[in-house]
C-alpha cells in the first residue's frame, strides 16, 4: 500500500484476507484549493496539515498542540523547476488503511497492524504529495509522473520546531561513514551551519512527545542526513551529491573526491522515499514502532520459505582465539571445522568466515590454509550454514562469479562490509546485491552500512545490518558502553534490525575495562550481555566470543543456544532513553524477558501478567551480588511462576536480566 494507481475521482473498497482499505476522493477546483488540507491519525492524537499558499508546507499537531510549524517541502529539478513552489492543487483524496501485514521474517512480531489515514494531493505539473497519519507517527512522500529521466538537484525537507528542543544527534564528520556514532545531546541551536548527523535522530519536545526522524522505502536515491536549517529551531535534510570521481584506498575504502551538482538522476515517474516522524508520548513507543516496515515496499521475493533466521558463531571479534584444542588456531581448515562442530553441538545454524578467508582483492582465491570444498562438505554434513564476509568493492567487481561460487559451495549467506556511503550509487548497490543474493538463496548482512530504510521488507533476505556503535568497538575503546546500549535502540533500532554482535564472556566493570584487540572484553555484566539477545533485534544474531570461552560458561551457553532471533510477539514493559529497557518477547509457547540498565544501578519489577493462564518455569540469569566489582558475577536460578507473580530484581551498574519462561510446572 504505497499510494500507487489512485484514480482522481473514485470511491474504492478493497477486501482481502485481513485487509480493508477505503478511499474517498475529492474533486479538483474550489473544494481542493479552498484551504489547508488535513489528515488525522486513527486515534485522533496526530494531525497533519498541508498548506499550499505560495509554497508547499506541512505541519504537525499532537493532541491539539503544534509540534512542527509549517515546514517547506520541495524538489528542485535539473531544468530549474521547483516542485513545491506556487503549487496548484488539481485533486485530493483521502483513504483509510486498516490491515494486518505478515512479515516474511518476523524480527519483532508475526503480525504487524497497519492502520492510518492517508491523503493524496495532486498538483499541476504532474506531481503529488502523499501524507499518512498513524497513531505512532506521520510521514510524507513525493510522487512524480514526469516523462523519461529527471535530475534532482536538491530536496527541501525542512522541520521547523516550536522551540529550541533537546536533540539526540548522531553527529557525522563526513559523508564517508559507517554511521557508528554516539548520540550527542544538543539543543537545536547548538548544531550550527557546519555540523550534521545521520539518521535516526531524536527531538525531545519540552512538555510534549519525543519525535524520531528517519526515512523509509529508499531506492534509487540518496539517503537523508540532518543539518541545521536557516531559521531558528529548524532542521533540514542533507543529501550527498552523486559521486563524479572516486579514489580506491586499499581494497575497501572508495573515497569520493569529486561530486556532481545533483543528488540523483532517476525515473521521472516514481515514488520518492518517505520522510518519517515517529511521535512518542512514551519512550516505549520508540522501541515498539513498526512504521519503517509499514511504509516500505512489499516483498519482491515470491517464495521466502528458504529464508532461515538464526544465530551465527563469529570468528573475527575474538581473533579466532580457540584454545584447548590439538591444532594451531587461526584462519585455517581445522579452526573453522571446530567452529562448525561447536555450532552443530549447540543448535547454532550458522558460522561466519570473516576477514582473512580469501586473498584480499580476489573472492575467487581462498586463503592457502583453507580447503574450502572440504570445509563446505563438513558444514553440509553437520547441517551448519556458512556465511562469507566480503569487502563490498571486491564483491561489486566479481558479483556474478563470486555468488555463483558461493552457491556451488552451498553457502547460506554473505556479510557485505565497508560501504560507508549512502549516495544514490551506493543505495542502488544495496538493492543489486539483495536481488542477486536472493536469486541464489543467500541471506545478506550489510555491515559498514547506513541505517535500515525498509529494505528488509522489500528484500527479506536482507536479514540484518550494522550502522550502529556495536560491540566490536570494545576492541579499541570504551564507546560500546551500557549507556550506549540503552540509548541507540530508541533511535537506530526503530529503523530496523541491528547487527550489534553481542555475546562477550569476558565482562568488565567500568573501572576494570580496557581495550584488548585480540582478546577483547565487554563493559557491564554477564547478565547484561545475555539480555542483549532479548532486547536487540536481529534475525541473524552473532555470538561474538570464542567457542572455547563459551564452553567454559555452560549456563550462559545454554541460554544463548535456546534464545530465538525472531518473535511472534513483543511487549515493551518499561523503557527510558539512556536509562533502562525492559522487554518481554514470545516465540511459540515460550516467553523471554530482557532488561538492560546504564552504568546506573537500579531495582526493577517485572509484572508477569503477560503470561496468561497456567504455571510456568522461569530460568533466570541475573547479576550476582558482586557484579558491581566483577562483571562476570551472575546468579542462575529456576523457579515456578504464574501470571500473578512479579519478579523483583536488582541490576548492578551496567547490569542486566535475562529470563526464559517455559512450559507448565508438573503438579505434585
Amino acid at each position: 500500500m504505497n499510494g500507487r494507481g489512485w484514480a482522481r475521482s473514485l470511491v474504492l473498497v478493497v477486501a482481502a484476507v485481513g485487509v480493508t482499505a477505503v478511499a474517498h476522493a475529492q474533486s479538483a477546483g474550489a473544494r481542493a484549493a479552498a484551504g489547508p488540507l488535513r489528515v488525522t491519525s486513527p486515534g485522533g492524537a496526530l494531525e497533519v496539515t498541508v498548506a499550499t499558499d505560495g509554497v508547499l508546507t506541512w505541519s504537525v499537531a499532537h493532541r491539539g498542540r503544534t509540534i512542527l510549524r509549517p515546514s517547506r517541502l520541495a524538489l528542485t529539478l535539473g531544468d530549474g523547476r521547483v516542485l513545491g513552489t506556487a503549487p496548484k492543487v488539481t485533486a485530493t483524496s483521502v483513504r483509510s488503511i486498516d490491515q494486518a501485514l505478515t512479515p516474511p521474517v518476523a524480527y519483532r512480531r508475526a503480525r504487524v497492524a497497519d492502520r492510518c489515514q492517508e491523503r493524496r494531493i495532486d498538483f499541476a505539473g504532474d506531481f503529488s504529495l502523499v501524507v499518512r497519519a498513524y497513531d505512532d507517527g506521520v510521514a510524507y512522500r513525493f510522487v512524480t509522473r514526469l516523462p523519461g529521466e529527471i535530475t534532482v538537484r536538491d530536496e527541501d525537507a525542512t522541520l521547523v520546531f516550536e522551540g529550541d528542543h533537546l536533540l539526540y544527534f548522531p553527529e557525522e564528520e563526513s559523508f564517508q561513514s559507517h554511521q557508528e556514532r554516539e548520540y550527542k545531546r544538543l539543543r537545536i541551536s547548538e548544531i550550527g551551519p557546519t555540523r550534521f548527523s545521520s539518521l535516526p535522530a531524536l527531538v525531545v519536545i519540552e512538555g510534549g512527545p519525543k519525535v524520531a526522524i528517519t526515512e523509509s522505502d529508499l531506492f534509487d536515491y540518496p539517503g537523508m542526513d540532518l543539518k541545521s536549517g536557516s531559521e531558528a529551531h529548524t532542521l533540514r535534510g542533507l543529501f550527498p551529491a552523486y559521486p563524479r570521481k572516486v579514489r580506491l584506498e586499499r581494497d575497501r575504502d572508495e573515497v569520493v573526491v569529486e561530486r556532481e551538482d545533483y543528488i540523483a538522476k532517476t525515473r521521472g515517474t516514481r515514488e520518492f522515499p518517505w520522510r518519517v516522524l515517529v511521535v512518542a508520548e512514551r519512550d516505549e513507543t520508540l522501541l515498539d514502532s513498526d512504521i519503517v516496515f509499514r511504509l516500505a515496499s512489499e516483498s519482491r521475493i515470491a517464495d521466502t520459505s528458504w529464508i532461515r533466521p538464526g544465530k551465527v558463531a563469529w570468528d573475527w571479534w575474538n581473533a579466532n582465539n580457540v584454545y584447548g584444542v590439538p591444532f594451531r588456531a587461526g584462519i585455517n581448515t581445522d579452526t573453522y571445522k571446530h567452529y562448525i562442530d561447536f555450532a552443530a553441538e549447540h543448535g547454532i545454524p550458522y558460522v561466519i568466515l570473516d576477514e582473512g578467508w580469501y586473498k584480499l582483492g580476489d573472492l575467487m582465491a581462498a586463503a592457502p590454509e583453507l580447503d574450502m570444498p572440504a570445509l563446505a562438505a563438513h558444514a553440509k554434513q553437520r547441517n551448519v550454514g556458512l556465511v562469507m564476509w566480503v569487502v563490498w568493492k571486491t564483491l561489486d567487481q566479481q558479483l556474478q562469479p563470486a555468488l555463483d561460487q558461493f552457491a556451488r559451495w552451498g553457502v547460506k549467506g554473505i556479510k557485505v562490509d565497508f560501504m560507508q556511503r549512502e549516495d544514490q550509487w551506493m543505495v542502488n548497490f544495496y538493492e543489486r546485491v539483495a536481488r542477486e543474493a536472493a536469486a541464489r538463496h543467500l541471506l545478506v548482512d550489510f555491515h559498514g552500512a547506513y541505517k535500515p530504510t525498509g529494505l528488509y521488507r522489500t528484500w527479506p533476505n536482507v536479514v540484518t545490518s550494522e550502522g550502529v556503535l556495536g560491540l566490536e568497538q570494545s576492541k579499541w575503546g570504551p564507546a560500546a558502553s551500557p549507556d550506549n546500549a540503552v540509548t541507540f535502540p530508541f533511535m537506530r533500532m526503530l529503523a530496523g534490525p541491528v547487527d550489534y554482535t553481542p555475546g562477550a564472556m569476558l565482562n568488565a566493570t567500568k573501572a576494570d575495562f580496557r581495550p584488548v584487540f585480540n582478546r577483547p572484553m565487554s563493559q557491564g555484566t554477564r547478565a547484561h550481555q545475555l539480555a542483549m539477545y532479548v532486547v536487540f533485534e536481529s534475525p541473524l544474531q552473532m555470538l561474538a566470543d570464542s567457542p572455547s570461552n563459551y564452553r567454559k560458561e555452560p549456563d550462559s551457553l545454554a541460554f544463548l543456544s535456546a534464545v530465538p532471533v525472531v518473535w511472534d510477539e513483543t511487549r515493551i514493559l518499561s523503557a527510558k532513553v539512556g536509562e533502562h529497557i525492559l522487554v518481554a518477547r514470545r516465540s511459540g509457547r515460550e516467553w523471554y524477558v530482557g532488561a538492560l540498565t546504564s552504568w546506573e544501578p537500579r531495582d526493577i519489577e517485572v509484572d508477569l501478567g503477560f503470561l496468561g493462564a497456567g504455571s510456568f518455569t522461569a530460568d533466570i540469569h541475573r547479576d550476582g551480588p558482586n557484579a558491581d566489582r566483577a562483571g562476570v558475577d551472575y546468579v542462575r536460578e529456576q523457579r515456578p511462576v504464574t501470571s500473578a507473580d512479579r519478579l523483583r530484581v536488582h541490576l548492578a551498574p551496567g547490569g542486566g536480566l535475562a529470563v526464559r519462561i517455559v512450559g507448565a510446572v508438573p503438579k505434585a
Side-chain angles (χ1 to χ4, degrees):
M1 296 287 183
N2 286 305
R4 296 181 175 88
W6 279 72
R8 291 192 176 183
S9 179
L10 93 151
V11 175
L12 173 66
V13 177
V14 180
V17 179
V19 179
T20 303
V22 182
H24 302 284
Q26 184 174 352
S27 63
R31 285 182 298 164
L37 301 167
R38 295 183 172 87
V39 62
T40 304
S41 62
L46 289 169
E47 183 178 68
V48 180
T49 300
V50 177
T52 59
D53 184 15
V55 295
L56 180 62
T57 66
W58 77 320
S59 57
V60 181
H62 174 261
R63 300 199 182 280
R65 173 189 175 185
T66 297
I67 59 173
L68 189 72
R69 294 169 52 201
S71 303
R72 175 162 178 162
L73 316 175
L75 291 176
T76 300
L77 304 186
D79 60 6
R81 281 179 293 172
V82 180
L83 308 184
T85 295
K88 180 181 179 182
V89 177
T90 60
T92 183
S93 53
V94 176
R95 67 168 177 163
S96 298
I97 298 174
D98 189 351
Q99 61 183 340
L101 306 175
T102 302
V105 179
Y107 75 98
R108 185 174 291 163
R109 51 180 56 89
R111 302 277 279 177
V112 174
D114 185 22
R115 296 181 65 241
C116 70
Q117 291 286 114
E118 178 185 278
R119 180 180 285 274
R120 179 188 177 103
I121 309 166
D122 297 332
F123 296 94
D126 291 326
F127 76 98
S128 304
L129 186 74
V130 182
V131 182
R132 287 188 180 180
Y134 293 88
D135 286 333
D136 60 342
V138 296
Y140 75 85
R141 77 182 329 169
F142 281 100
V143 179
T144 54
R145 298 172 299 282
L146 302 170
E149 183 182 76
I150 60 173
T151 298
V152 181
R153 295 202 180 278
D154 196 12
E155 177 180 344
D156 192 346
T158 299
L159 302 169
V160 183
F161 290 94
E162 280 286 292
D164 190 17
H165 302 307
L166 178 68
L167 177 67
Y168 284 81
F169 193 70
E171 186 170 10
E172 299 288 351
E173 297 170 358
S174 77
F175 286 134
Q176 189 86 10
S177 172
H178 294 275
Q179 297 194 0
E180 302 171 12
R181 316 304 293 183
E182 294 184 75
Y183 289 88
K184 296 183 178 179
R185 289 166 52 92
L186 305 170
R187 294 286 171 179
I188 295 175
S189 62
E190 294 181 275
I191 297 174
T194 62
R195 303 172 78 173
F196 76 100
S197 80
S198 48
L199 296 179
L202 183 66
V203 176
V204 181
I205 306 291
E206 293 182 8
K210 291 183 171 71
V211 179
I213 306 163
T214 193
E215 60 182 332
S216 182
D217 215 32
L218 174 65
F219 292 102
D220 196 29
Y221 201 76
M224 187 171 90
D225 293 328
L226 203 62
K227 66 176 183 177
S228 177
S230 58
E231 56 183 295
H233 314 147
T234 299
L235 302 172
R236 191 179 190 275
L238 174 66
F239 302 88
Y242 195 88
R244 176 187 297 163
K245 183 178 179 181
V246 297
R247 181 181 67 247
L248 185 63
E249 299 178 353
R250 301 191 298 158
D251 63 321
R252 61 198 62 181
D253 298 324
E254 187 177 81
V255 179
V256 179
V257 294
E258 291 182 22
R259 293 188 181 272
E260 303 286 358
D261 63 352
Y262 58 84
I263 62 174
K265 285 190 175 181
T266 186
R267 303 178 310 281
T269 298
R270 63 161 295 173
E271 295 167 314
F272 286 80
W274 290 100
R275 307 294 168 221
V276 184
L277 302 181
V278 180
V279 182
E281 293 184 35
R282 302 171 64 247
D283 288 15
E284 289 84 352
T285 300
L286 297 169
L287 296 172
D288 205 34
S289 177
D290 298 299
I291 196 168
V292 171
F293 176 88
R294 285 175 254 148
L295 291 166
S297 294
E298 295 175 358
S299 174
R300 295 176 187 169
I301 302 176
D303 175 16
T304 59
S305 61
W306 57 271
I307 299 174
R308 183 187 173 200
K311 293 183 288 290
V312 52
W314 187 31
D315 56 342
W316 181 86
W317 188 73
N318 58 77
N320 296 89
N321 273 323
V322 181
Y323 52 91
V325 294
F327 56 84
R328 179 68 176 176
I331 299 173
N332 56 51
T333 303
D334 285 339
T335 298
Y336 283 113
K337 281 187 174 181
H338 184 81
Y339 268 86
I340 291 166
D341 291 340
F342 165 76
E345 291 163 12
H346 297 283
I348 299 165
Y350 301 106
V351 167
I352 193 167
L353 279 69
D354 212 290
E355 182 165 7
W357 78 263
Y358 70 91
K359 180 182 177 182
L360 292 177
D362 187 2
L363 285 165
M364 310 304 291
E369 297 83 6
L370 277 180
D371 184 340
M372 281 305 305
L375 200 62
H378 187 67
K380 182 178 180 180
Q381 191 270 329
R382 298 306 309 266
N383 194 31
V384 172
L386 299 181
V387 177
M388 314 303 288
W389 175 89
V390 297
V391 168
W392 78 271
K393 185 63 176 178
T394 310
L395 180 67
D396 180 47
Q397 295 166 337
Q398 299 180 313
L399 185 62
Q400 301 286 346
L403 295 185
D404 288 344
Q405 175 171 271
F406 294 161
R408 288 192 298 271
W409 286 341
V411 165
K412 301 302 181 184
I414 55 174
K415 175 182 175 182
V416 189
D417 206 352
F418 285 96
M419 289 77 67
Q420 305 177 81
R421 291 180 7 225
E422 57 179 344
D423 52 54
Q424 183 191 22
W425 190 98
M426 188 59 76
V427 169
N428 289 343
F429 170 79
Y430 277 57
E431 187 179 15
R432 181 155 47 92
V433 169
R435 181 188 303 110
E436 294 294 335
R440 296 161 179 82
H441 286 194
L442 293 172
L443 306 179
V444 181
D445 170 7
F446 283 119
H447 223 60
Y450 58 78
K451 83 284 181 187
T453 59
L455 192 65
Y456 54 91
R457 180 183 180 190
T458 311
W459 293 99
N461 60 318
V462 178
V463 285
T464 195
S465 60
E466 194 184 22
V468 68
L469 200 162
L471 185 71
E472 68 180 33
Q473 297 281 341
S474 62
K475 289 167 71 76
W476 48 78
S481 68
D483 289 345
N484 173 66
V486 293
T487 300
F488 82 79
F490 295 89
M491 286 149 275
R492 164 60 185 82
M493 206 165 73
L494 70 80
V498 57
D499 190 17
Y500 181 88
T501 65
M505 294 293 100
L506 303 179
N507 316 114
T509 64
K510 192 173 187 177
D512 292 340
F513 173 79
R514 61 190 180 94
V516 181
F517 190 85
N518 287 326
R519 203 158 182 265
M521 65 187 74
S522 70
Q523 298 174 79
T525 69
R526 172 68 54 77
H528 186 86
Q529 285 291 306
L530 298 184
M532 289 177 174
Y533 287 83
V534 183
V535 175
F536 298 165
E537 298 162 346
S538 179
L540 190 68
Q541 185 67 277
M542 302 284 175
L543 271 69
D545 221 323
S546 162
S548 300
N549 286 344
Y550 286 128
R551 286 194 171 102
K552 290 174 62 177
E553 303 290 347
D555 287 343
S556 297
L557 183 55
F559 182 85
L560 295 179
S561 297
V563 64
V565 298
V566 292
W567 306 95
D568 295 318
E569 185 178 354
T570 289
R571 301 194 186 189
I572 311 301
L573 304 181
S574 177
K576 189 169 179 59
V577 176
E579 295 187 10
H580 76 280
I581 300 171
L582 175 60
V583 176
R585 303 191 195 265
R586 180 179 61 82
S587 175
R589 299 183 58 167
E590 294 187 356
W591 281 92
Y592 287 77
V593 175
L596 298 173
T597 186
S598 65
W599 281 123
E600 290 297 318
R602 71 186 68 247
D603 296 313
I604 63 169
E605 183 175 85
V606 185
D607 184 343
L608 298 181
F610 56 81
L611 288 176
S615 298
F616 305 86
T617 298
D619 186 9
I620 301 169
H621 300 252
R622 58 179 175 84
D623 295 327
N626 298 297
D628 61 329
R629 299 172 62 188
V632 295
D633 188 37
Y634 72 93
V635 172
R636 183 184 183 186
E637 59 180 321
Q638 294 185 340
R639 68 171 74 166
V641 294
T642 70
S643 61
D645 288 323
R646 295 172 180 264
L647 300 179
R648 294 175 176 85
V649 181
H650 176 72
L651 304 183
L657 170 71
V659 185
R660 181 188 184 192
I661 304 174
V662 300
V665 177
K667 294 183 179 179

